[in-house]
Amino acid sequence: MTEEKHNSVMVVGGGIGGISTAVEIAEMGYEVILVEKAPSLGGRVARLTKYFPKMCPPWCGLEINYRRIKENKKIRVFTLAEVQKISGAPGNLEVQVALKPRYVKPQADRFEKAIEACEVEVSNEFNLGMDKTKAIHYYHDMAYPQFPVVEAKDDPGVKAAIEASGCTAFDLDEEPQDMTFKVGAVVWATGWTPYDVSQVSYLGYQRYQDVIQNVQMERLCSVSGPTEGKLLRPSDGREAKRVAFVQCAGSRDANYLGYCSNVCCSASMKQALYVREKYEDAEAWIFYIDLRSGRYVDFLKKVTDDDKIHLIKGKAGAVAQDPETGDVIVTVEDVTEGVTKKYAFDMVVLASGMVPETAGNPIPAEGIEYDKYGFVTSDPAQTGIFPLGCLRKPSDVSVTVQDATGISIKAIHTILGG
């Protein structure tokens, strides 16, 4: 008896890698089920202010792919969805998915009136908890699907706002659902999470408000961020005109994160350009061990040509805050001059490394293997489960999109029994 084969692929993770994979496979004629745990597609790319090296907003890449998804009936999208278990063999996999309620029916009916009437606030997950948003809200300005999500549904204020709006498109009694899918292959594209730099105590993260991570810097500089694009210190709202970027914040260190994340240097150079764009007299310092810009030579030149961006070869040994001035003091061993120096800044940005999501949230299937950092090492030909992008190695957006094309072909090859 021939083993049953399924002519479809599940893509887990709706970031730029997962989206790219889904549209590639669907446009080759195969059914795709795209699963994302957040209320919207877009992943971490949606939180960026700009891509490097072109310095264009993330919607340049996301918007066209959203349209490709909308126009392709072979793609089914499930948000607020998480995979619970994968079983079976390549070509014949069973995937169990849990769907969280959105409490919104798929129809446009006075959503804005309910949002406007809502006075209950919750922490803004999209802005990494740096501000608050209404309990009835769109996940972000260009969320897809374009439906609001409801939090704190049992709060009387939320219920009152819905009642006052007269909107019939909310269902606060909606229950979670469990669904099972039969697919030929699974592409696991859950991406990465920033390294927890609070473990590196001498860098002062979470001890000082004006010491932030690079992912937080992206939201601070975005017009849709907590300060509407103004570069302001979290502690007191003062304009941040002297900003330091500390490279390898815990990375390349056997005591913390033992590898280089590859993209952090280019990301910090990009963010140094943000600083320069915000205020004419602003200056940025980048403290580095080795400046690794890879193939982005022209981008590096753009940064080094700016005389108000200072590149200092030296490892930051301590970060503290002056209680009188509020300045953040960075102690650095300047390798070039062979001396230890102290610098005062308005704000310090830590270049935290990329940790694969699978390090904390492994793929719920048997036979998946990982290295000591959580990167997936098992052979997809044996499991039918293909790790994408940052789950195999640290990758920037362009490398992840390229990887998506290759993985799409391999997933289809699995379906065809190759």
Side-chain angles (χ1 to χ4, degrees), residues 45-284:
V45 164
R47 289 188 170 103
L48 296 179
T49 299
K50 295 179 182 179
Y51 293 111
F52 63 78
K54 292 184 177 180
M55 299 297 282
C56 59
W59 306 117
C60 293
L62 288 177
E63 191 173 26
I64 188 171
N65 282 317
Y66 285 170
R67 188 172 73 245
R68 291 166 76 186
I69 290 172
K70 291 176 185 178
E71 294 174 350
N72 198 314
K73 294 181 179 179
K74 291 188 176 294
I75 303 176
R76 298 169 64 193
V77 176
F78 295 90
T79 53
L80 292 170
E82 292 192 62
V83 172
Q84 303 298 302
K85 183 179 180 181
I86 305 173
S87 57
N92 184 19
L93 295 170
E94 181 176 284
V95 186
Q96 297 173 20
V97 178
L99 299 179
K100 295 180 181 178
R102 185 184 287 266
Y103 306 114
V104 174
K105 300 175 186 177
Q107 62 189 70
D109 181 14
R110 300 183 186 175
F111 288 143
E112 282 66 27
K113 288 187 177 181
I115 293 171
E116 183 180 349
C118 184
E119 296 181 356
V120 179
E121 291 189 326
V122 295
S123 178
N124 190 338
E125 179 192 359
F126 185 73
N127 280 341
L128 307 176
M130 300 176 74
D131 65 348
K132 292 185 178 297
T133 186
K134 293 189 175 189
I136 306 173
H137 63 280
Y138 292 102
Y139 193 55
H140 54 78
D141 290 345
M142 294 190 68
Y144 179 85
Q146 192 66 26
F147 296 118
V149 63
V150 179
E151 298 186 56
K153 76 176 185 72
D154 295 324
D155 191 295
V158 173
K159 295 180 179 179
I162 292 173
E163 290 175 1
S165 71
C167 181
T168 61
F170 291 91
D171 179 8
L172 298 184
D173 295 322
E174 184 182 0
E175 296 288 339
Q177 298 180 52
D178 293 318
M179 301 182 72
T180 300
F181 299 92
K182 298 279 191 177
V183 297
V186 172
V187 176
W188 203 265
T190 53
W192 60 280
T193 188
Y195 178 70
D196 179 11
V197 288
S198 65
Q199 296 185 53
V200 192
S201 59
Y202 64 83
L203 292 179
Y205 182 66
Q206 293 185 340
R207 192 158 66 249
Y208 308 116
Q209 283 184 276
D210 300 320
V211 179
I212 66 173
Q213 287 182 295
N214 44 12
V215 289
Q216 293 172 295
M217 183 66 168
E218 289 294 330
R219 298 312 304 146
L220 274 183
C221 292
S222 173
V223 293
S224 64
T227 57
E228 297 180 342
K230 301 180 182 69
L231 187 51
L232 307 177
R233 286 163 37 117
S235 65
D236 55 14
R238 190 174 88 193
E239 292 180 341
K241 293 187 175 182
R242 289 174 57 87
V243 180
F245 295 88
V246 174
Q247 299 309 106
C248 299
S251 298
R252 302 172 65 187
D253 188 324
N255 296 310
Y256 304 107
L257 192 66
Y259 57 86
C260 170
S261 290
N262 188 44
V263 304
C264 304
C265 288
S266 294
S268 289
M269 288 190 286
K270 174 189 68 171
Q271 292 182 346
L273 292 173
Y274 293 171
V275 175
R276 293 289 296 119
E277 291 172 356
K278 296 298 179 183
Y279 308 111
E280 186 177 349
D281 57 342
E283 295 188 66

